[in-house]
Amino acid sequence: MMFRYSAALAMLAAIGMPAGNNAFVTKSLSPITITKPTTRRSSSRSTLYMGPPADPTAPITEVTGEGSRKYRRTVYTHDSWVKHRSPDRFVNNLGTLFNSGIYKNIGGTVLFTTSVAVFVWAWNLLVGGYQDFDGVMHDPLIVEKWAMMIGLPLTPFTTLTPSLGLLLVFRTNTSYGRWNEARKFWGLNINHTRDLNRMATAWYGNQSDWDGTEFMEPSTKELAPINPAERQYLLGQVSILTWAFVRSMKRHLSPPAEDEDDYVTEIKARLTPSQAEAMISATHRPNRALYDLSVAIEKLPMHFVRKNSINGNLSIFEDTLGGSERLLSSPVPLFYSRHTARFLACWLVFLPLALYEPFANSWNHIIMIPATAFISVCLYGIEELATQLEEPFTILPMQGFCDKIGANCDEIVSWRGQGLDDNEVVIQDNIEAMAPSR
């Protein structure tokens, strides 16, 4: 066993293949070319940072609106969950109230609703009289016959409140469901990329079951002995093309202005020039990546039954890709979203007319103004949350997912796998690993 392992190392050294994972090495080994995967460059887009940009000089487009969505791509760790459950979370969240991207997005709408409240308040004081700071009442400043106080009873608003609540609940639940479905699609990608590379690595060059039962008839020609360099190349292709699929899927679901340059750079850095050119120029890049991955799997020396099992993962990738495209191209029915927005806007715009009398006990009814602003922030905020969640991909940490998938696949295919270990040695190693320390 040690002689076989030493011989394999000597072969790798002879063809100039490094032991590490930090460079492209292309050597001629007839009839194939050995290409070693590179280490993936770090990407600032996979940073697990949440909140507005730390740079105080960042443009306003990075603080609010579409530019702020990249700062919502969070991945939690154990420390993050500890902070999330902190008893101080209420105080901490109130402390960042004015940094909230949600509130900044609805600021103009809230200002308009509050302006309506200010107008109602000021007009009613002008035509109905007002009280000065000493508590003395004064006559109206406008005494024309046409000048009347404006207001509405509160009953219509209380009657419509349950209906508005149902609309907002359905809107937010549907939007969260879309986000959750997108996250599950990427969860399936993560799970089945690992599964695919695990099976390819473990089954490489083997056509029998673990108990020695042959898949083929005795007359069938057995597979040739494993060539370690060829094995490393073929499994490396499976790993790289698995990463290329998820990276292409991420680019497919991201805005071109944000991700196109990074995508081209990363694909050219990891794939061969011909592979990279074919994938970049493809009309549907994820489909091209899946095709190349299918070809790489077909080249693996193993029984077709096992190849079929591996290819089953590719069908799941097609499902996650198609489901993601459905979410991206099909929003919540627009007539529902528009009706909810109109209903909410009209309800809040006319609300100040009904709040003037209920706040008669405050000085000149003035509390109706901050009350209107507070109610507007709460209700417009709920609708804004639903709108932000409705398209989930630009707030999912997809670059982080791709980096993790690539690292996991590279690690899996680096394991020695079938045909490179004697069963007795494997069993002995397992026994020693499970034995209690002495």
Side-chain angles (χ1 to χ4, degrees):
M1 173 59 195
M2 291 301 297
F3 174 77
R4 288 172 56 197
Y5 182 52
S6 300
L9 291 179
M11 180 182 296
L12 293 177
I15 65 174
M17 184 168 294
N21 293 333
N22 56 1
F24 267 109
V25 178
T26 303
K27 295 291 181 180
S28 189
L29 182 70
S30 180
I32 62 174
T33 300
I34 307 302
T35 303
K36 188 164 179 60
T38 60
T39 299
R40 187 170 296 99
R41 70 180 180 87
S42 61
S43 173
S44 60
R45 297 188 188 278
S46 61
T47 303
L48 310 184
Y49 174 74
M50 181 176 68
D55 183 5
T57 63
I60 188 64
T61 54
E62 292 287 296
V63 178
T64 184
E66 291 298 312
S68 67
R69 289 178 68 82
K70 66 174 68 70
Y71 300 104
R72 307 186 194 280
R73 299 166 187 171
T74 56
V75 177
Y76 262 34
T77 62
H78 290 292
D79 292 338
S80 303
W81 281 112
V82 171
K83 183 178 180 181
H84 186 78
R85 295 188 294 263
S86 170
D88 299 329
R89 62 186 180 275
F90 298 105
V91 176
N92 294 335
N93 288 330
L94 286 174
T96 59
L97 181 67
F98 297 102
N99 292 329
S100 171
I102 294 293
Y103 299 149
K104 290 178 180 178
N105 285 350
I106 63 175
T109 311
V110 172
L111 179 61
F112 175 76
T113 307
T114 307
S115 299
V116 173
V118 172
F119 171 78
V120 171
W121 172 77
W123 176 261
N124 285 341
L125 292 184
L126 290 174
V127 302
Y130 64 95
Q131 184 182 44
D132 62 21
F133 291 111
D134 295 326
V136 178
M137 290 298 302
H138 295 269
D139 293 332
L141 297 179
I142 301 177
V143 294
E144 303 294 334
K145 293 182 179 180
W146 52 264
M148 298 181 294
M149 296 180 64
I150 55 177
L152 288 173
L154 197 57
T155 303
F157 295 91
T158 56
T159 302
L160 291 175
T161 297
S163 300
L164 179 60
L166 288 175
L167 283 173
L168 291 175
V169 167
F170 179 82
R171 181 89 168 85
T172 53
N173 282 353
T174 302
S175 296
Y176 174 77
R178 291 167 59 86
W179 179 90
N180 192 43
E181 189 175 8
R183 180 60 183 89
K184 287 179 179 178
F185 285 149
W186 277 94
L188 286 174
N189 284 344
I190 293 171
N191 296 344
H192 287 279
T193 51
R194 295 170 180 170
D195 201 35
L196 185 157
N197 284 268
R198 172 187 58 80
M199 290 190 289
T201 303
W203 291 345
Y204 184 93
N206 187 276
Q207 61 189 31
S208 65
D209 205 350
W210 287 107
D211 61 2
T213 303
E214 294 291 339
F215 281 126
M216 303 185 183
E217 297 178 357
S219 59
T220 303
K221 182 179 179 181
E222 294 186 359
L223 297 175
I226 293 176
N227 180 333
E230 181 180 357
R231 176 183 182 275
Q232 184 176 25
Y233 168 74
L234 294 176
L235 290 179
Q237 283 291 293
V238 172
S239 173
I240 291 174
L241 292 171
T242 301
W243 167 83
F245 162 69
V246 294
R247 186 62 184 86
S248 298
M249 180 173 170
K250 189 261 182 183
R251 166 61 194 89
H252 189 64
L253 300 172
S254 301
E258 176 185 316
D259 196 41
E260 178 65 19
D261 292 341
D262 286 348
Y263 171 78
V264 172
T265 300
E266 292 181 33
I267 289 295
K268 287 183 176 180
R270 296 213 71 202
L271 273 60
T272 62
S274 59
Q275 286 177 322
E277 181 60 29
M279 195 167 298
I280 292 171
S281 61
T283 302
H284 196 287
R285 291 162 172 173
N287 279 345
R288 175 69 199 205
L290 282 179
Y291 167 77
D292 290 346
L293 181 55
S294 296
V295 172
I297 293 172
E298 185 60 28
K299 292 179 180 179
L300 298 177
M302 63 179 65
H303 192 269
F304 75 91
V305 172
R306 288 184 163 172
K307 290 183 182 179
N308 287 344
S309 297
I310 296 176
N311 275 305
N313 292 290
L314 272 63
S315 297
I316 294 174
F317 295 156
E318 287 283 12
D319 291 339
T320 61
L321 175 60
S324 298
E325 290 175 330
R326 169 176 53 81
L327 292 176
L328 185 63
S329 61
S330 304
V332 173
L334 295 180
F335 53 82
Y336 185 92
S337 301
R338 289 168 179 168
H339 177 69
T340 302
R342 291 164 183 158
F343 188 168
L344 177 60
C346 291
W347 194 90
L348 287 171
V349 165
F350 287 103
L351 181 63
L353 297 171
L355 292 183
Y356 187 79
E357 286 302 327
F359 287 100
N361 291 330
S362 63
W363 180 75
N364 285 328
H365 308 250
I366 197 170
I367 300 300
M368 65 167 288
I369 298 175
T372 300
F374 178 75
I375 296 171
S376 298
V377 167
C378 293
L379 295 183
Y380 281 135
I382 293 174
E383 202 279 337
E384 178 69 16
L385 287 174
T387 302
Q388 293 293 328
L389 283 171
E390 188 175 1
E391 188 276 283
F393 300 106
T394 48
I395 57 174
L396 280 175
M398 295 190 294
Q399 182 67 45
F401 296 155
C402 294
D403 293 344
K404 175 65 77 173
I405 287 171
N408 288 340
C409 292
D410 288 347
E411 179 187 24
I412 291 171
V413 299
S414 70
W415 299 335
R416 302 181 65 192
Q418 289 275 14
L420 298 180
D421 282 315
D422 289 336
N423 288 337
E424 295 78 7
V425 175
V426 174
I427 294 172
Q428 183 61 34
D429 290 343
N430 289 340
I431 292 175
E432 293 178 359
M434 292 185 294
S437 57
R438 302 180 183 277

